[in-house]
Coordinates of all heavy atoms in Angstrom, one line a residue:
S666 N -5.5 -0.3 -2.1 CA -4.3 -1.1 -2.3 C -4.2 -1.5 -3.8 O -5.3 -1.6 -4.5 CB -4.4 -2.4 -1.5 OG -5.4 -3.2 -2.0
V667 N -3.0 -1.5 -4.3 CA -2.8 -2.0 -5.7 C -1.7 -3.1 -5.6 O -0.6 -2.9 -5.1 CB -2.2 -0.8 -6.6 CG1 -1.8 -1.4 -8.0 CG2 -3.2 0.3 -6.7
V668 N -2.1 -4.3 -6.0 CA -1.2 -5.4 -6.1 C -1.0 -5.8 -7.5 O -2.0 -6.1 -8.2 CB -1.6 -6.6 -5.1 CG1 -0.8 -7.8 -5.4 CG2 -1.6 -6.1 -3.7
N669 N 0.2 -5.8 -8.0 CA 0.5 -6.1 -9.4 C 1.3 -7.4 -9.5 O 2.4 -7.6 -9.0 CB 1.4 -4.9 -9.9 CG 1.8 -5.1 -11.3 OD1 1.0 -5.6 -12.1 ND2 3.1 -4.9 -11.6
A670 N 0.6 -8.4 -10.1 CA 1.2 -9.8 -10.1 C 1.7 -10.1 -11.5 O 1.4 -9.4 -12.5 CB 0.2 -10.8 -9.7
G671 N 2.6 -11.1 -11.6 CA 3.1 -11.6 -12.8 C 2.1 -12.6 -13.5 O 1.2 -12.2 -14.2
I672 N 2.2 -13.8 -13.1 CA 1.5 -14.9 -13.8 C 0.3 -15.4 -13.0 O -0.5 -16.1 -13.6 CB 2.6 -16.0 -14.0 CG1 2.1 -17.0 -15.1 CG2 2.9 -16.8 -12.7 CD1 2.1 -16.4 -16.5
V673 N 0.2 -15.1 -11.7 CA -0.9 -15.7 -11.0 C -2.3 -15.2 -11.5 O -2.6 -14.0 -11.3 CB -0.8 -15.5 -9.5 CG1 -2.0 -15.9 -8.7 CG2 0.4 -16.2 -8.9
P674 N -3.1 -16.1 -12.1 CA -4.3 -15.6 -12.7 C -5.4 -15.3 -11.6 O -5.3 -15.8 -10.5 CB -4.8 -16.8 -13.5 CG -4.2 -18.0 -12.9 CD -2.9 -17.5 -12.3
P675 N -6.3 -14.4 -11.9 CA -7.3 -14.0 -10.9 C -8.0 -15.2 -10.2 O -8.3 -15.1 -9.0 CB -8.3 -13.2 -11.7 CG -7.6 -12.7 -12.9 CD -6.5 -13.7 -13.2
E676 N -8.2 -16.4 -10.9 CA -8.9 -17.5 -10.2 C -8.1 -18.2 -9.2 O -8.6 -18.9 -8.4 CB -9.5 -18.5 -11.2 CG -8.5 -19.1 -12.1 CD -8.4 -18.5 -13.5 OE1 -8.5 -17.2 -13.6 OE2 -8.4 -19.2 -14.5
L677 N -6.7 -18.0 -9.2 CA -5.9 -18.6 -8.2 C -5.5 -17.6 -7.2 O -4.7 -17.8 -6.3 CB -4.6 -19.2 -8.9 CG -4.8 -20.4 -9.7 CD1 -3.5 -20.9 -10.3 CD2 -5.5 -21.5 -8.9
R678 N -6.0 -16.4 -7.3 CA -5.6 -15.3 -6.5 C -5.7 -15.5 -5.0 O -4.9 -15.2 -4.2 CB -6.4 -14.0 -6.9 CG -6.0 -12.8 -6.2 CD -6.8 -11.7 -6.5 NE -6.6 -10.6 -5.5 CZ -7.4 -9.6 -5.4 NH1 -8.4 -9.5 -6.2 NH2 -7.2 -8.7 -4.5
Q679 N -6.8 -16.2 -4.6 CA -7.1 -16.4 -3.2 C -6.0 -17.1 -2.5 O -5.7 -16.8 -1.4 CB -8.5 -17.1 -3.1 CG -9.1 -16.8 -1.7 CD -10.5 -17.3 -1.7 OE1 -11.1 -17.8 -2.7 NE2 -11.1 -17.3 -0.5
A680 N -5.4 -18.1 -3.2 CA -4.4 -18.9 -2.6 C -3.0 -18.2 -2.8 O -2.1 -18.4 -2.0 CB -4.3 -20.3 -3.3
C681 N -2.8 -17.4 -3.8 CA -1.5 -16.9 -4.1 C -1.3 -15.4 -3.9 O -0.2 -14.9 -4.1 CB -1.2 -17.2 -5.6 SG -1.3 -18.9 -6.0
D682 N -2.3 -14.7 -3.5 CA -2.2 -13.3 -3.2 C -2.4 -13.0 -1.7 O -3.6 -12.8 -1.3 CB -3.1 -12.4 -4.0 CG -3.2 -11.0 -3.6 OD1 -2.3 -10.5 -2.9 OD2 -4.2 -10.3 -3.9
L683 N -1.4 -13.1 -0.9 CA -1.5 -12.8 0.5 C -1.3 -11.4 0.8 O -1.5 -10.9 1.9 CB -0.5 -13.7 1.4 CG -0.7 -15.2 1.2 CD1 0.4 -15.9 2.0 CD2 -2.0 -15.6 1.7
A684 N -0.9 -10.6 -0.2 CA -0.6 -9.2 0.0 C -1.9 -8.4 0.2 O -1.9 -7.5 1.1 CB 0.2 -8.7 -1.2
T685 N -2.9 -8.6 -0.7 CA -4.1 -7.8 -0.6 C -4.8 -7.9 0.7 O -5.1 -6.9 1.3 CB -5.0 -8.1 -1.8 OG1 -4.3 -7.9 -3.0 CG2 -6.3 -7.2 -1.8
P686 N -5.1 -9.2 1.2 CA -5.7 -9.2 2.5 C -5.0 -8.6 3.6 O -5.5 -8.0 4.5 CB -5.9 -10.7 2.8 CG -5.5 -11.4 1.5 CD -4.8 -10.4 0.6
W687 N -3.7 -8.6 3.5 CA -2.8 -8.0 4.6 C -3.0 -6.5 4.5 O -3.2 -5.8 5.5 CB -1.4 -8.4 4.4 CG -0.6 -8.3 5.6 CD1 -0.5 -9.2 6.6 CD2 0.3 -7.2 5.9 NE1 0.4 -8.7 7.6 CE2 0.9 -7.5 7.1 CE3 0.6 -6.0 5.2 CZ2 1.8 -6.6 7.7 CZ3 1.5 -5.2 5.8 CH2 2.1 -5.4 7.1
L688 N -2.9 -5.9 3.3 CA -3.0 -4.5 3.1 C -4.4 -4.0 3.6 O -4.6 -3.0 4.2 CB -2.8 -4.1 1.7 CG -1.4 -4.1 1.1 CD1 -1.4 -3.9 -0.4 CD2 -0.5 -3.1 1.8
R689 N -5.4 -4.9 3.2 CA -6.8 -4.6 3.5 C -7.0 -4.4 5.0 O -7.7 -3.6 5.5 CB -7.7 -5.7 3.0 CG -9.1 -5.5 2.9 CD -9.9 -6.8 2.6 NE -9.6 -7.2 1.2 CZ -9.5 -8.5 0.9 NH1 -9.6 -9.5 1.8 NH2 -9.3 -8.8 -0.4
D690 N -6.3 -5.3 5.8 CA -6.5 -5.3 7.2 C -5.6 -4.2 7.9 O -6.1 -3.6 8.9 CB -6.0 -6.7 7.8 CG -7.0 -7.8 7.6 OD1 -8.2 -7.4 7.1 OD2 -6.7 -8.9 7.8
C691 N -4.4 -4.0 7.4 CA -3.5 -3.1 8.1 C -3.6 -1.6 7.8 O -3.4 -0.8 8.6 CB -2.1 -3.6 7.9 SG -1.7 -5.2 8.6
A692 N -3.9 -1.3 6.5 CA -3.9 0.1 6.1 C -4.9 0.9 6.9 O -4.6 2.0 7.4 CB -4.2 0.2 4.6
P693 N -6.2 0.4 7.1 CA -7.1 1.3 7.8 C -6.7 1.5 9.3 O -6.9 2.6 9.8 CB -8.4 0.4 7.8 CG -8.3 -0.4 6.6 CD -6.8 -0.8 6.5
V694 N -5.9 0.6 9.9 CA -5.5 0.8 11.2 C -4.4 1.9 11.3 O -4.5 2.8 12.0 CB -4.8 -0.5 11.8 CG1 -4.5 -0.3 13.3 CG2 -5.7 -1.7 11.6
L695 N -3.4 1.7 10.4 CA -2.3 2.7 10.5 C -2.6 4.1 10.0 O -2.1 5.1 10.5 CB -1.1 2.1 9.7 CG -0.5 0.8 10.3 CD1 0.8 0.4 9.6 CD2 -0.2 1.0 11.8
F696 N -3.6 4.2 9.1 CA -3.9 5.5 8.5 C -5.2 6.0 9.0 O -5.7 7.0 8.6 CB -4.0 5.4 6.9 CG -2.8 4.7 6.3 CD1 -2.9 3.9 5.2 CD2 -1.5 4.8 6.9 CE1 -1.8 3.3 4.6 CE2 -0.4 4.2 6.3 CZ -0.6 3.4 5.2
N697 N -5.7 5.3 10.0 CA -7.0 5.7 10.6 C -8.0 6.0 9.5 O -8.6 7.1 9.3 CB -6.9 7.0 11.4 CG -8.2 7.3 12.2 OD1 -8.9 6.4 12.6 ND2 -8.5 8.6 12.3
G698 N -8.3 4.9 8.7 CA -9.1 5.2 7.5 C -10.1 4.1 7.1 O -10.3 3.1 7.8
E699 N -10.6 4.4 6.0 CA -11.6 3.5 5.4 C -11.0 3.0 4.0 O -10.5 3.8 3.3 CB -12.9 4.2 5.1 CG -14.0 3.4 4.4 CD -15.2 4.3 4.1 OE1 -15.4 5.4 4.7 OE2 -16.0 3.8 3.3
L700 N -11.2 1.7 3.8 CA -10.7 1.1 2.5 C -11.7 1.5 1.4 O -12.8 1.2 1.4 CB -10.6 -0.4 2.6 CG -9.8 -1.1 1.6 CD1 -8.3 -0.8 1.8 CD2 -10.1 -2.5 1.6
A701 N -11.2 2.3 0.5 CA -12.0 2.8 -0.6 C -12.1 1.7 -1.7 O -13.1 1.6 -2.5 CB -11.5 4.1 -1.2
G702 N -11.1 0.9 -1.8 CA -11.1 -0.2 -2.8 C -9.7 -0.8 -3.0 O -8.7 -0.4 -2.4
E703 N -9.7 -1.8 -3.8 CA -8.4 -2.5 -4.1 C -8.4 -2.9 -5.6 O -9.4 -3.1 -6.2 CB -8.3 -3.8 -3.2 CG -9.4 -4.7 -3.4 CD -9.5 -5.8 -2.4 OE1 -9.5 -5.5 -1.2 OE2 -9.6 -7.0 -2.8
L704 N -7.1 -3.1 -6.0 CA -6.9 -3.5 -7.4 C -5.9 -4.6 -7.4 O -4.9 -4.5 -6.8 CB -6.5 -2.3 -8.3 CG -6.0 -2.6 -9.7 CD1 -7.2 -3.1 -10.5 CD2 -5.5 -1.3 -10.4
Y705 N -6.2 -5.7 -8.2 CA -5.3 -6.8 -8.4 C -5.1 -6.9 -9.9 O -6.1 -7.1 -10.6 CB -5.9 -8.1 -7.8 CG -5.0 -9.3 -8.1 CD1 -3.9 -9.5 -7.3 CD2 -5.3 -10.2 -9.1 CE1 -3.1 -10.6 -7.5 CE2 -4.5 -11.3 -9.3 CZ -3.4 -11.5 -8.5 OH -2.6 -12.6 -8.8
A706 N -3.9 -6.7 -10.4 CA -3.6 -6.8 -11.8 C -2.6 -7.9 -12.1 O -1.5 -7.9 -11.5 CB -3.1 -5.5 -12.3
A707 N -3.0 -8.9 -12.8 CA -2.1 -10.0 -13.2 C -2.1 -10.2 -14.7 O -3.0 -9.6 -15.4 CB -2.6 -11.3 -12.5
S708 N -1.2 -10.9 -15.2 CA -1.1 -11.2 -16.6 C -2.4 -12.0 -17.0 O -2.9 -12.8 -16.3 CB 0.1 -12.1 -16.9 OG -0.1 -12.6 -18.2
M709 N -3.0 -11.6 -18.1 CA -4.3 -12.2 -18.5 C -4.0 -13.4 -19.4 O -4.9 -14.1 -19.8 CB -5.2 -11.2 -19.2 CG -5.6 -10.0 -18.3 SD -6.1 -10.5 -16.6 CE -7.7 -11.0 -16.9
Q710 N -2.7 -13.7 -19.8 CA -2.4 -14.8 -20.6 C -1.6 -15.8 -19.8 O -0.5 -15.5 -19.4 CB -1.5 -14.4 -21.8 CG -2.1 -13.4 -22.6 CD -1.0 -12.9 -23.6 OE1 0.0 -12.2 -23.2 NE2 -1.2 -13.1 -24.9
Y711 N -2.2 -16.9 -19.4 CA -1.5 -17.8 -18.6 C -1.8 -19.3 -18.9 O -1.2 -20.2 -18.4 CB -1.8 -17.6 -17.1 CG -3.3 -17.2 -16.8 CD1 -4.2 -18.2 -16.7 CD2 -3.7 -15.9 -16.7 CE1 -5.5 -17.9 -16.5 CE2 -5.0 -15.6 -16.5 CZ -5.9 -16.6 -16.4 OH -7.2 -16.3 -16.2
H712 N -2.8 -19.6 -19.8 CA -3.1 -21.0 -20.1 C -2.3 -21.4 -21.3 O -2.2 -20.7 -22.3 CB -4.6 -21.1 -20.4 CG -5.4 -21.0 -19.2 ND1 -5.2 -21.7 -18.0 CD2 -6.5 -20.2 -18.9 CE1 -6.1 -21.4 -17.1 NE2 -6.9 -20.4 -17.6
G713 N -1.7 -22.6 -21.1 CA -1.0 -23.2 -22.3 C 0.2 -22.5 -22.8 O 0.5 -22.5 -24.0
L714 N 0.9 -21.8 -21.9 CA 2.1 -21.0 -22.3 C 3.3 -21.9 -22.4 O 3.5 -22.8 -21.6 CB 2.3 -19.9 -21.3 CG 1.2 -18.8 -21.2 CD1 1.7 -17.8 -20.1 CD2 0.9 -18.1 -22.5
T715 N 4.2 -21.6 -23.4 CA 5.5 -22.2 -23.3 C 6.3 -21.6 -22.2 O 5.9 -20.5 -21.7 CB 6.3 -21.9 -24.7 OG1 6.5 -20.5 -24.7 CG2 5.5 -22.4 -25.9
D716 N 7.5 -22.2 -21.9 CA 8.3 -21.6 -20.8 C 8.7 -20.2 -21.1 O 8.7 -19.3 -20.3 CB 9.6 -22.5 -20.6 CG 9.3 -23.8 -19.9 OD1 8.2 -23.9 -19.4 OD2 10.2 -24.6 -19.8
E717 N 9.0 -19.9 -22.4 CA 9.5 -18.6 -22.8 C 8.3 -17.6 -22.7 O 8.5 -16.5 -22.1 CB 10.0 -18.6 -24.2 CG 10.8 -17.4 -24.5 CD 11.1 -17.2 -26.0 OE1 11.2 -18.2 -26.7 OE2 11.1 -16.1 -26.4
E718 N 7.1 -18.0 -23.1 CA 6.0 -17.1 -23.0 C 5.6 -16.9 -21.5 O 5.3 -15.8 -21.1 CB 4.8 -17.7 -23.7 CG 4.9 -17.7 -25.2 CD 3.9 -18.6 -25.9 OE1 3.4 -19.6 -25.3 OE2 3.6 -18.4 -27.1
C719 N 5.8 -17.9 -20.7 CA 5.5 -17.8 -19.3 C 6.4 -16.8 -18.7 O 6.0 -15.9 -17.9 CB 5.7 -19.2 -18.7 SG 5.3 -19.1 -16.9
S720 N 7.7 -16.9 -19.1 CA 8.7 -16.0 -18.5 C 8.4 -14.5 -19.0 O 8.5 -13.6 -18.2 CB 10.1 -16.4 -18.9 OG 10.9 -15.4 -19.2
R721 N 7.9 -14.4 -20.2 CA 7.5 -13.0 -20.7 C 6.3 -12.5 -19.9 O 6.3 -11.3 -19.4 CB 7.1 -13.1 -22.1 CG 8.3 -13.0 -23.1 CD 7.8 -12.9 -24.5 NE 7.2 -11.6 -24.8 CZ 7.8 -10.5 -24.9 NH1 9.2 -10.5 -24.9 NH2 7.2 -9.3 -25.2
A722 N 5.4 -13.4 -19.6 CA 4.2 -13.0 -18.9 C 4.6 -12.6 -17.5 O 4.0 -11.6 -16.9 CB 3.1 -14.1 -18.9
F723 N 5.5 -13.3 -16.9 CA 5.9 -13.1 -15.6 C 6.7 -11.7 -15.4 O 6.5 -10.9 -14.5 CB 6.8 -14.2 -15.1 CG 7.1 -14.3 -13.6 CD1 6.1 -15.0 -12.8 CD2 8.2 -13.8 -13.1 CE1 6.4 -15.1 -11.5 CE2 8.4 -13.9 -11.7 CZ 7.5 -14.5 -10.9
L724 N 7.6 -11.6 -16.4 CA 8.5 -10.4 -16.3 C 8.1 -9.2 -17.1 O 8.5 -8.1 -16.8 CB 10.0 -10.8 -16.6 CG 10.6 -11.9 -15.7 CD1 11.8 -12.4 -16.3 CD2 10.8 -11.3 -14.4
L725 N 7.5 -9.4 -18.2 CA 7.2 -8.3 -19.1 C 5.7 -8.3 -19.5 O 5.4 -8.0 -20.6 CB 8.0 -8.5 -20.4 CG 9.6 -8.5 -20.2 CD1 10.2 -9.1 -21.5 CD2 10.1 -7.1 -19.9
K726 N 4.9 -8.5 -18.5 CA 3.5 -8.6 -18.9 C 3.0 -7.2 -19.3 O 3.5 -6.2 -18.8 CB 2.7 -9.1 -17.7 CG 2.3 -8.1 -16.7 CD 1.1 -8.6 -15.8 CE 0.5 -7.5 -15.0 NZ 1.4 -7.0 -13.9
E727 N 2.0 -7.2 -20.2 CA 1.4 -5.9 -20.6 C 0.1 -5.7 -19.9 O -0.7 -6.6 -19.9 CB 1.2 -5.9 -22.1 CG 2.5 -5.7 -22.9 CD 2.3 -5.8 -24.4 OE1 1.2 -5.8 -24.8 OE2 3.4 -6.0 -25.0
L728 N 0.0 -4.6 -19.3 CA -1.3 -4.3 -18.6 C -2.4 -4.1 -19.7 O -2.1 -3.6 -20.8 CB -1.2 -3.0 -17.8 CG -0.2 -3.1 -16.6 CD1 0.1 -1.7 -16.1 CD2 -0.8 -3.9 -15.5
T729 N -3.6 -4.6 -19.4 CA -4.7 -4.4 -20.3 C -5.4 -3.1 -20.1 O -5.2 -2.4 -19.1 CB -5.8 -5.5 -20.1 OG1 -6.3 -5.3 -18.8 CG2 -5.2 -6.9 -20.2
D730 N -6.1 -2.6 -21.1 CA -6.8 -1.4 -21.0 C -7.8 -1.5 -19.9 O -8.0 -0.5 -19.2 CB -7.6 -1.1 -22.3 CG -6.7 -0.8 -23.5 OD1 -5.5 -0.5 -23.2 OD2 -7.1 -0.8 -24.6
E731 N -8.4 -2.7 -19.7 CA -9.4 -2.8 -18.6 C -8.7 -2.6 -17.2 O -9.3 -1.9 -16.4 CB -9.9 -4.2 -18.7 CG -11.2 -4.4 -17.8 CD -11.6 -5.9 -17.8 OE1 -11.2 -6.7 -18.6 OE2 -12.4 -6.2 -16.8
Q732 N -7.5 -3.1 -17.1 CA -6.8 -3.0 -15.8 C -6.5 -1.5 -15.6 O -6.6 -1.0 -14.5 CB -5.5 -3.8 -15.8 CG -5.8 -5.3 -15.6 CD -4.6 -6.2 -15.9 OE1 -3.7 -5.8 -16.7 NE2 -4.6 -7.4 -15.4
M733 N -6.1 -0.8 -16.7 CA -5.8 0.7 -16.5 C -7.0 1.4 -16.2 O -7.0 2.4 -15.4 CB -5.2 1.2 -17.8 CG -3.8 0.6 -18.1 SD -2.6 1.0 -16.8 CE -1.9 2.6 -17.4

Side-chain angles (χ1 to χ4, degrees):
S666 70
V667 175
V668 171
N669 176 45
I672 198 72
V673 171
E676 60 261 42
L677 291 181
R678 182 182 164 196
Q679 207 171 346
C681 302
D682 168 23
L683 299 176
T685 304
W687 201 82
L688 290 171
R689 192 190 292 144
D690 286 348
C691 294
V694 185
L695 296 186
F696 310 145
N697 187 38
E699 176 183 347
L700 196 74
E703 59 191 49
L704 173 62
Y705 177 80
S708 170
M709 300 312 282
Q710 299 170 295
Y711 40 82
H712 289 306
L714 298 179
T715 63
D716 284 353
E717 197 195 327
E718 285 165 339
C719 181
S720 146
R721 278 186 68 77
F723 195 85
L724 295 169
L725 299 165
K726 84 162 194 288
E727 282 174 18
L728 294 166
T729 63
D730 291 347
E731 192 186 346
Q732 287 166 335
M733 292 299 270

